[in-house]
Amino acid sequence: MLATRFRVAPTLRNAVRSFTTLPSNPHIKVFPHPKDPKSYILCLLPTTPPSPTLSIGTTTALPPTPQSFTTNPHFLSILNSVLAEHAYSDPGLQSQAQAFASPAGFSFLPRPGSRKVGKKGSDTGAGGASAEGGAGGAGMGGWVHLSDERTPVDFGRIAWPEDIFGSVEVDGQGKIIEGTFQGSGTYRVVTNQGILGLSPFLMEKLVARFREEEAKEQQKA
């Protein structure tokens, strides 16, 4: 009976657990690199063997660090595409937009691309990954950042450039204008603070997109 069971196992190959997950982010699967015993492939999908083209990247150390990690450029392309399509519907970002347009407003938030960056700890440094706005936000609209959740920040402050996915435009009523997402160009998948921290809503959308991309790859194979 056991021999028979193993003979049909190839049909269930993708279901065999041959990976671990990162303790800091259980969404991320860790696979041994098939061509480099000193490296690992990081993926969002559990498929075995993993597809290098659909990976987050590779790392020579666990947990990954900025020095050990190499980003897969295709991953960033898919990530930005998903954010451009779905960021405006993210509940957390919608809350930021509402707070931005509230009578109290927030501290100054410039249009994407015009932000000055100072040394960490300075007044132009990191801030509101969970609440970012700007002078004149109340009733006038502006731009709000979508930032990685790996680094909690104080209310009214702006996240570090390496943590900012991009920005969306908000109207005077605190509503995100669909189709206005602009990638920051400064985001890093891995920093000293951790790896890829998306909201549950956006992580679900990202994983769904990778499943679609995987299905396309399998059809071509």
Side-chain angles (χ1 to χ4, degrees), residues 5 46 62 73 84 104 143 176 195 206 214:
R5 183 175 300 172
L62 294 175
W143 293 81
I176 298 173
I195 181 171
L206 184 61
E214 181 181 67

Side-chain angles (χ1 to χ4, degrees):
M1 292 296 292
L2 288 177
T4 301
R5 183 175 300 172
F6 281 109
R7 274 196 287 270
V8 299
T11 62
L12 302 176
R13 188 171 298 162
N14 288 348
V16 177
R17 184 180 176 87
S18 60
F19 60 86
T20 58
T21 58
L22 288 179
S24 61
N25 190 331
H27 292 286
I28 299 178
K29 283 70 176 176
V30 181
F31 295 86
H33 198 297
K35 297 182 179 180
D36 185 353
K38 296 182 179 180
S39 296
Y40 303 89
I41 298 177
L42 306 183
C43 299
L44 290 175
L45 301 182
T47 306
T48 304
S51 169
T53 59
L54 298 181
S55 70
I56 301 172
T58 60
T59 182
T60 56
L62 294 175
T65 67
Q67 293 74 35
S68 73
F69 180 76
T70 301
T71 305
N72 173 17
H74 187 51
F75 172 80
L76 289 178
S77 177
I78 295 176
L79 173 64
N80 281 324
S81 176
V82 169
L83 296 180
E85 182 177 356
H86 297 291
Y88 80 97
S89 297
D90 180 66
L93 194 60
Q94 290 177 341
S95 295
Q96 289 180 218
Q98 288 292 326
F100 172 77
S102 69
F106 287 158
S107 59
F108 178 70
L109 176 65
R111 181 181 178 85
S114 64
R115 179 180 179 274
K116 294 182 178 179
V117 180
K119 295 181 179 179
K120 289 191 175 184
S122 69
D123 290 340
T124 56
S130 59
E132 299 165 5
M140 296 181 63
W143 293 81
V144 170
H145 289 327
L146 173 64
S147 302
D148 198 294
E149 297 184 350
R150 64 192 164 207
T151 309
V153 293
D154 296 331
F155 177 83
R157 302 277 288 177
I158 300 175
W160 295 111
E162 62 191 19
D163 289 328
I164 298 176
F165 293 113
S167 305
V168 292
E169 189 173 3
V170 178
D171 65 20
Q173 286 69 51
K175 181 179 179 180
I176 298 173
I177 302 174
E178 185 177 353
T180 60
F181 177 83
Q182 295 184 19
S184 68
T186 61
Y187 177 74
R188 294 171 60 188
V189 176
V190 175
T191 69
N192 289 326
Q193 305 304 316
I195 181 171
L196 187 65
L198 284 170
S199 69
F201 172 82
L202 290 176
M203 180 60 77
E204 180 182 351
K205 297 298 183 183
L206 184 61
V207 171
R209 174 67 65 82
F210 272 94
R211 292 192 186 281
E212 294 175 3
E213 295 297 320
E214 181 181 67
K216 293 178 183 177
E217 275 198 357
Q218 293 173 347
Q219 287 177 354
K220 295 177 181 179

